[in-house]
Amino acid sequence: MHPSSLPSIRIYRARFSEITRRSVESALRRLGQPDLKVSQAVDVRQELDLRIGAAFTRFQTMRLQRRFPSLANQLLSYGSCQFPTMGFVVERYKAIENFVPESFWKIRGEVAIKKSGKLTFFNMFFSPPPSLLPLLQSSTR
């Protein structure tokens, strides 16, 4: 479709490299015009990842199946993102395995303020930092 036949709408691009609230909100405050060269570079990286991944998966599968007959019915996949992703999975697994439960306190309060004949209610929540927990525990005994 030729660009002149597209509806006249404004398109903006948010640029961020991590999916965190801070990073996404920052990107949304700094929207910019799309860059055709950046878009084309992304397309090329995707295509290369697919082609190299498929070729190397085939190569390593065939090579390792010849060397290790027990892998005869196995596909040994390669992808440029698989190794770092596996690192994230292992890191998360270790964090879960090493988790030590801690006491958790949440304090809830309700406040009513009367101003100009109007009553306004507020709910407040406070989760004290771990350093205050011993003080709170000793005061409840």
Side-chain angles (χ1 to χ4, degrees), residues 21-124:
R21 182 180 183 134
R22 191 181 93 214
S23 183
V24 172
E25 285 176 348
S26 175
L28 291 173
R29 285 191 298 272
R30 295 178 290 107
L31 294 173
Q33 295 296 315
D35 182 334
L36 180 61
K37 289 182 180 181
V38 170
S39 178
Q40 290 171 334
V42 169
D43 292 343
V44 167
R45 280 194 303 272
Q46 279 183 314
E47 187 71 22
L48 285 173
D49 284 349
L50 178 63
R51 289 175 185 252
I52 291 168
F56 195 76
T57 292
R58 180 176 168 80
F59 167 76
Q60 79 178 355
T61 297
M62 292 172 68
R63 169 95 182 193
L64 292 172
Q65 284 175 341
R66 277 196 303 271
R67 185 139 164 91
F68 303 100
S70 63
L71 298 175
N73 295 322
Q74 301 292 317
L75 173 72
L76 304 167
S77 178
Y78 168 83
S80 60
C81 296
Q82 289 175 352
F83 190 76
T85 300
M86 181 57 82
F88 297 138
V89 170
V90 169
E91 185 179 303
R92 181 69 177 143
Y93 173 79
K94 287 180 177 179
I96 291 168
E97 287 294 306
N98 296 322
F99 176 73
V100 177
E102 297 178 1
S103 297
F104 179 81
W105 293 69
K106 188 179 272 191
I107 301 170
R108 181 173 180 238
E110 293 182 3
V111 178
I113 299 173
K114 189 172 187 177
K115 187 175 181 181
S116 304
K118 223 177 188 182
L119 199 56
T120 306
F121 290 93
F122 296 94
N123 285 315
M124 300 182 313

